[in-house]
């Protein structure tokens, strides 16, 4: 727009500035919003932004057609921006948002075509060669644009849906891995606790077993001493034993 502004008449300059100035302001606001909110991007803006972009392109085409040459507006390569918007949707948005954007783009271009036919008196020729040689457009060319826009929208919607499925599977796998890691961490902590309890039990058993072993050895030695005393023959004093009997 800036490069061609010097060669354009004032109405077409206004047609460029009318949609592009708000778009520039919106871009600045969104950039500041993302920075101030630490990278947060509202979900609704992701769905509204491509429709706003497509509407700006539609406004430029319509203004060029009403203020300048309708055939030049319809034949201009600015319609390629529609395909660029659709190509970016699988990366930026959901399948539902992509489908809505594709439907809006196709409907907007069809509305532009009908408005120019009714207001600017654009004639749709069935012969592409005759239309190219005149200031009119071919119905085949415009019909193919609509078909290509619809086909691009279908492909972009399918790719967005596939991308969503891949992300969901990756997220589910990540959740499973995190759950397994958390369970493994809990089991390792329990194993560490059991190992600590085992070590403590072994220390207590050792501390208790040491005096018990000493007591057991002492008891065994005492038992052996008593056994030896019990097995030794007794020396009986016969005289003292039978003294009362003799006296009797």
């Amino acid at each position: 727009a800036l490069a061609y502004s010097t060669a354009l008449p004032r109405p077409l300059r206004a047609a460029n500035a009318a949609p592009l100035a708000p778009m520039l302001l919106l871009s600045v606001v969104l950039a500041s919003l993302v920075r101030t909110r630490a990278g947060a991007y509202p979900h609704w803006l992701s769905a509204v932004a491509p429709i706003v972009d497509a509407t700006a392109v539609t406004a430029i085409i319509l203004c060029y057609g009403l203020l300048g040459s309708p055939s030049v507006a319809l034949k201009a390569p600015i319609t390629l921006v529609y395909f660029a918007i659709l190509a970016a949707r699988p990366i930026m948005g959901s399948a539902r948002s992509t489908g809505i954007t594709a439907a809006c783009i196709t409907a907007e271009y069809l509305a532009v075509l009908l408005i120019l036919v009714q207001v600017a008196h654009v004639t749709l020729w069935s012969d592409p060669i005759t239309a190219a040689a005149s200031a009119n457009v071919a119905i085949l060319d415009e019909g193919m644009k609509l078909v290509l826009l619809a086909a691009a929208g279908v492909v972009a919607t399918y790719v967005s849906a596939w991308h969503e499925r891949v992300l969901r599977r990756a997220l589910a796998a990540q959740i499973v891995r995190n759950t397994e890691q958390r369970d493994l961490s809990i089991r390792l902590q329990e194993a560490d606790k059991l190992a600590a309890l085992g070590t403590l039990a072994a220390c207590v058993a050792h501390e208790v077993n040491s005096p018990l072993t000493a007591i057991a050895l002492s008891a065994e030695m005492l038992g052996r001493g008593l056994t030896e005393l019990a097995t030794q023959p007794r020396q009986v004093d016969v005289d003292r034993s039978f003294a009362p009997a003799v006296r009797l």
Side-chain angles (χ1 to χ4, degrees), residues 10-221:
R10 182 172 296 179
L12 294 184
R13 294 180 189 176
N16 285 332
L20 293 180
M23 293 293 296
L24 179 60
L25 180 61
L26 179 62
S27 301
V28 173
V29 171
L30 292 181
S32 61
L33 180 64
V34 171
R35 288 185 178 182
T36 54
R37 297 185 58 181
Y41 192 78
H43 180 70
W44 62 272
L45 280 179
S46 178
V48 173
I51 299 178
V52 174
D53 297 338
T55 304
V57 175
T58 304
I60 292 175
I61 296 175
L62 185 60
C63 291
Y64 268 63
L66 296 177
L67 301 176
S69 174
S71 61
V72 173
L74 294 175
K75 295 177 182 178
I78 193 174
T79 54
L80 296 176
V81 180
Y82 287 140
F83 295 96
I85 295 173
L86 292 175
R89 293 315 301 158
I91 305 174
M92 303 294 295
S94 62
R96 181 179 180 181
S97 174
T98 304
I100 295 173
T101 303
C104 290
I105 288 175
T106 306
E108 286 181 1
Y109 189 76
L110 178 60
V112 168
L113 183 61
L114 295 178
I115 291 173
L116 293 180
V117 169
Q118 294 294 328
V119 177
H121 304 289
V122 175
T123 303
L124 297 177
W125 291 75
S126 59
D127 186 4
I129 299 177
T130 305
S134 62
N136 297 305
V137 294
I139 189 172
L140 181 61
D141 294 341
E142 301 305 319
M144 287 305 300
K145 285 182 182 179
L146 292 173
V147 171
L148 288 177
L149 286 174
V154 172
V155 173
T157 304
Y158 174 78
V159 174
S160 299
W162 177 81
H163 190 241
E164 283 184 348
R165 289 195 298 268
V166 172
L167 289 179
R168 289 195 185 98
R169 292 175 182 174
L171 182 60
Q174 184 65 32
I175 292 174
V176 171
R177 284 196 296 268
N178 292 338
T179 304
E180 292 178 351
Q181 291 178 358
R182 184 169 59 252
D183 293 341
L184 180 60
S185 177
I186 293 174
R187 292 178 183 176
L188 290 176
Q189 292 178 359
E190 293 177 352
D192 291 339
K193 293 179 180 179
L194 292 176
L197 290 176
T199 303
L200 179 61
C203 293
V204 172
H206 177 72
E207 295 296 331
V208 174
N209 193 29
S210 297
L212 289 179
T213 303
I215 294 172
L217 290 175
S218 300
E220 185 178 357
M221 293 177 62

